[in-house]
Amino acid sequence: MSLDPARLGPMANAIRALSMDAVQQANSGHPGMPMGMADVATVLYSKYLKFDPADPAWPDRDRFVLSAGHGSMLIYSLLHLTGYARPTMEDIRNFRQLGSPCAGHPENFELAGVECTTGPLGQGLAMAVGMAMAERHLNAQFGDDLVDHRTWVIAGDGCLMEGINHEAVGLAGHLKLGRMIVLWDDNRITIDGDTDLSTSEDVPARYRAAGWHTEACDGHDPADIARAIDAALADGRPSLVACRTIIGKGAPNKQGSHNVHGAPLGAEEIAATRAALGWTAAPFEIPADILADWRSLGARGAEAHAAWEARAAGNAQAPELLRRMAGQLPDGDEAGKVFADWLTQSQKVATRKASEMALEVLTPAIPEMVGGSADLTGSNNTKTKAAGPFSPENYGGRYVYWGIREFGMAAAMNGMALHGGVIPYGGTFLVFSDYCRNAIRLSALQRARVVYVLTHDSIGLGEDGPTHQPVEHVMSLRMIPNLNVFRPADIIETAECWNLALQESARPSVLALTRQNLPQLRTVEGGANLSAKGAYRLKAAEAARKVVLLATGSEVELAVNVATALEAQGIGADVVSMPSWELFEAQGAAYRAELLPADALKVSIEAGVTLGWQKYVGDGLTIGLDRFGASAPAEVLFEHFGFSVEKIVPQIVDRLN
Ligand SMILES: Cc1ncc(C[n+]2csc(CCOP(=O)(O)OP(=O)(O)O)c2C)c(N)n1
Ligand SMILES: [Mg+2]
């Protein structure tokens, strides 16, 4: 460390001052955590973290995740002090105000240097596991010269208490992610009060049981913090460093109490803190010598960065790494040729099987795809020949056995996507999307290209019964903004939807896929990817059009049969297949009106809740399932719950008369 250790105290106090003043100004926020972890963060940034404020996206930088996202002023202070272009002091003055990148909780798309969006406790640490996995994966493929960095996390009691922590820690220990270091803000305080109120767990023992190395230190003693981090670096296992801290450290009357967790200190206590810290600068002013120390530390990162650039310049693999890190798909369209050939065939397969067939074509062509499943590989059909197991012995493997850890998988996939260089996809049953729903939401919020392969998408899964039969899931996933929900109807649409999912560089996708076989409905070349418009006319009315049938997934076949029966009675019916609401919404009004004309009776058919379909059918008919399913073979269930030509046609005829 080139910095005089005596300078670290004032540097940490700069974080304390900025944090308490910004929270006071906003009259909202969390001063306790940044003030408590200021010393640890100062040691981390001054001695260990590899970063370059002049180029925050440099591929081989260390990743730093503030999992305790409520302490957002900690990272805003660090980014400003070390010399990132943003946040400016003006941004910090406007903490939590409209238009400031200093959002209430850190947002990855607001500020370079914020690696992921945090605040939902536990998920930051779990995303860091994915980042550490991506690092080892790319290291295995590109070597130490190009990929050689660490993943650091600051996490609080809450992050360690959440259930997802068990999944994340189990994965990291099993995968031996030794380049991951978690600095635990062990302040023994949460919102309600002392942690004694709600826990008596021996957290380090749990981590050790999962294969981690653990250390403890005095989180206010820079030398002791450095000693513990050095020990963590020396150990080959992932490390947890319990940093014993005092929440709100520096506020003489309030520190150590849950009252400093999430409320401004107040003018009086701020004055007392200034006096106690010997901090005489006005709010939002950093004394020149202290700022100079921080900036010199920030400038130091240029050296490691330049050394990496020099190595990359002479490395034949560097362009490929940069392509992947930029999120650009490889050139060429070998896959497209195979998919075009499928149009000349007539393959009756489940869409989960069609997805596997598409993946067998896509994964060799797109080497950055890394697949996996939460212990349902054979059911989700996610494994391909190109993807060998990802393991501590072979981090270059492209298939992750996530175990029964849906939430951990989804969060880690977010981390992998945000790390860059990897396009993760992972499977589970659609009904268990609820187990990972908040991570799916964070994929969408963070604009992360993650593909969720969610199979067994309706009562069509049959005998496993209502616990396993999604009813509300497809519709409820459609409610999440910036998430593409695809429900393809056959092998052709499945391939189209996979292509669309991969092309969405800033949006996650869900593929809702069937267990049961579905006939191929598209055989003639219809021009470009028809699913790209979200909905398209699969079959035009022959008789004068009176009805438009709108269906998704397995119910498109039924809609075609219903149309045939209506035509036999002289009633013209269009069939519109609608694999994606989101993409349909993005079409122009003219296209939407052409597909859903005002003068026809519109009927939706989907084996799930009907709430929502009124948007497209107006006062037309909604055929769906507004109750839980039952245990029986699929054909019996579809018949029983009214998904048959015999039960649907009379309802339509009735309505027309
Ligand atoms: C999943 C989730 N549940 C609840 C919250 C609300 N919340 C924010 S901070 C916090 C307490 C966290 O305690 P700790 O991590 O110890 O933070 P400290 O009080 O020490 O800063 C809670 C419950 C949240 N942000 N995320
Ligand atoms: Mg705490």
Side-chain angles (χ1 to χ4, degrees):
M1 178 160 33
S2 52
L3 282 166
D4 173 359
R7 305 288 306 152
L8 293 177
M11 288 170 76
N13 286 341
I15 296 173
R16 294 189 168 97
L18 276 178
S19 299
M20 70 179 182
D21 289 335
V23 171
Q24 184 70 22
Q25 167 108 345
N27 195 25
S28 156
H30 302 77
M33 188 270 169
M35 295 178 79
M37 282 299 274
D39 298 308
V40 173
T42 302
V43 172
L44 172 64
Y45 271 67
S46 64
K47 191 170 178 189
Y48 299 101
L49 193 76
K50 183 166 74 166
F51 69 107
D52 182 2
D55 185 0
W58 158 43
D60 201 33
R61 69 191 183 278
D62 282 357
R63 302 305 194 268
F64 169 65
V65 173
L66 184 70
S67 191
H70 57 279
S72 55
M73 270 311 303
L74 179 67
I75 190 161
Y76 300 151
S77 302
L78 288 164
L79 295 177
H80 176 77
L81 291 167
T82 55
Y84 285 73
R86 302 286 290 269
T88 61
M89 194 58 97
E90 195 55 24
D91 295 332
I92 290 179
R93 269 179 201 276
N94 287 310
F95 175 53
R96 293 187 157 226
Q97 306 309 304
L98 197 62
S100 171
C102 297
H105 294 80
E107 306 280 8
N108 66 307
F109 50 88
E110 290 285 2
L111 285 171
V114 172
E115 301 286 357
C116 58
T117 293
T118 52
L121 296 175
Q123 284 192 69
L125 194 155
M127 285 189 274
V129 170
M131 292 178 189
M133 290 170 68
E135 191 274 341
R136 282 296 87 189
H137 180 68
L138 294 170
N139 171 272
Q141 301 205 336
F142 292 92
D144 288 344
D145 275 356
L146 292 183
V147 183
D148 182 19
H149 52 271
R150 298 182 188 282
T151 304
W152 302 86
V153 179
I154 286 183
D157 301 300
C159 289
L160 273 48
M161 210 183 288
E162 289 286 353
I164 191 176
N165 190 250
H166 170 72
E167 299 182 22
V169 166
L171 278 166
H174 174 71
L175 294 171
K176 300 188 165 59
L177 300 175
R179 301 168 73 78
M180 173 167 179
I181 299 180
V182 174
L183 304 168
W184 169 25
D185 180 16
D186 181 14
N187 62 19
R188 303 186 192 174
I189 291 287
T190 66
I191 291 180
D192 277 358
D194 284 19
T195 48
D196 307 357
L197 290 170
S198 57
T199 182
S200 38
E201 179 175 285
D202 181 343
V203 173
R206 173 165 63 85
Y207 274 63
R208 282 192 295 275
W212 285 57
H213 157 245
T214 63
E215 279 292 327
C217 69
D218 174 347
H220 299 301
D221 174 352
D224 199 40
I225 297 165
R227 174 202 54 75
I229 294 179
D230 286 336
L233 291 174
D235 196 284
R237 294 166 291 178
S239 291
L240 173 73
V241 180
C243 306
R244 189 74 181 92
T245 60
I246 297 167
I247 191 169
K249 166 92 172 160
N253 308 302
K254 290 194 169 178
Q255 65 181 22
S257 147
H258 66 124
N259 296 322
V260 289
H261 162 91
L265 296 183
E268 208 173 300
E269 183 70 0
I270 284 182
T273 306
R274 279 194 149 68
L277 297 177
W279 190 265
T280 52
F284 308 108
E285 275 174 26
I286 306 296
D289 56 332
I290 297 175
L291 186 61
D293 284 346
W294 272 112
R295 290 287 152 93
S296 78
L297 184 164
R300 259 184 1 211
E303 207 177 297
H305 181 189
W308 180 84
E309 294 283 357
R311 290 196 303 276
N315 191 308
Q317 280 187 295
E320 171 64 6
L321 175 67
L322 293 176
R323 176 191 71 75
R324 294 190 199 178
M325 291 299 297
Q328 281 159 1
L329 295 175
D331 290 338
D333 190 18
E334 286 311 303
K337 290 180 199 143
V338 178
F339 297 153
D341 183 54
W342 288 358
L343 281 163
T344 66
Q345 306 175 32
S346 178
Q347 306 188 73
K348 179 171 182 170
V349 292
T351 50
R352 63 178 172 139
K353 178 68 184 172
S355 168
E356 178 188 305
M357 293 163 70
L359 285 169
E360 284 292 4
V361 178
L362 291 164
T363 51
I366 305 177
E368 56 269 44
M369 290 179 74
V370 174
S373 166
D375 201 47
L376 288 168
T377 293
S379 298
N380 302 146
N381 299 57
T382 32
K383 173 103 171 54
T384 67
K385 290 181 203 76
F390 176 95
S391 70
E393 295 72 41
N394 180 21
Y395 288 125
R398 293 173 55 198
Y399 193 79
V400 183
Y401 289 101
W402 291 105
I404 306 95
R405 299 183 179 104
E406 294 83 7
F407 196 8
M409 169 178 76
M413 289 201 295
N414 282 337
M416 293 165 93
L418 293 167
H419 177 282
V422 171
I423 301 177
Y425 69 90
T428 182
F429 287 148
L430 175 59
V431 79
F432 301 132
S433 60
D434 291 332
Y435 272 53
C436 53
R437 187 175 172 93
N438 204 265
I440 299 176
R441 183 174 193 273
L442 275 193
S443 309
L445 178 60
Q446 297 183 97
R447 304 173 191 167
R449 177 166 44 190
V450 174
V451 185
Y452 294 93
V453 180
L454 303 179
T455 69
H456 297 59
D457 71 347
S458 75
I459 49 168
L461 67 85
E463 296 84 347
D464 269 341
T467 54
H468 285 52
Q469 291 163 351
V471 175
E472 73 280 23
H473 297 77
V474 169
M475 195 60 84
S476 78
L477 287 165
R478 287 182 183 131
M479 287 165 41
I480 298 180
N482 196 43
L483 173 67
N484 271 334
V485 180
F486 293 107
R487 190 163 186 255
D490 69 354
I491 181 170
I492 302 299
E493 281 193 8
T494 304
E496 289 178 340
C497 293
W498 255 116
N499 270 329
L500 292 165
L502 292 170
Q503 280 156 23
E504 290 276 13
S505 63
R507 188 186 278 200
S509 297
V510 161
L511 295 169
L513 304 171
T514 65
R515 172 183 184 233
Q516 74 278 23
N517 287 339
L518 300 179
Q520 182 169 332
L521 299 172
R522 290 249 306 280
T523 48
V524 283
E525 178 60 81
N529 182 329
L530 296 185
S531 300
K533 290 197 162 158
Y536 64 94
R537 188 174 293 124
L538 176 68
K539 184 178 171 299
E542 289 161 27
R545 180 175 63 199
K546 298 245 174 57
V547 177
V548 172
L549 300 164
L550 263 146
T552 73
S554 46
E555 287 69 67
V556 178
E557 176 195 9
L558 174 60
V560 170
N561 295 337
V562 168
T564 305
L566 290 171
E567 297 279 354
Q569 300 187 31
I571 301 169
D574 281 359
V575 177
V576 171
S577 179
M578 196 172 202
S580 162
W581 280 30
E582 296 75 22
L583 295 184
F584 183 63
E585 289 295 318
Q587 304 308 311
Y591 180 76
R592 287 185 283 144
E594 209 266 312
L595 217 56
L596 304 178
D599 62 357
L601 171 69
K602 289 173 284 291
V603 179
S604 65
I605 312 179
E606 185 174 70
V609 294
T610 55
L611 180 64
W613 277 110
Q614 293 79 6
K615 173 175 179 178
Y616 297 119
V617 306
D619 59 2
L621 282 174
T622 54
I623 311 287
L625 191 63
D626 289 307
R627 50 156 292 172
F628 293 120
S631 299
E635 317 77 68
V636 175
L637 290 174
F638 278 117
E639 177 66 36
H640 177 73
F641 288 116
F643 295 94
S644 68
V645 173
E646 296 68 34
K647 291 203 175 130
I648 294 173
V649 169
Q651 295 179 60
I652 295 174
V653 172
D654 251 21
R655 182 60 76 91
L656 285 173
N657 294 331

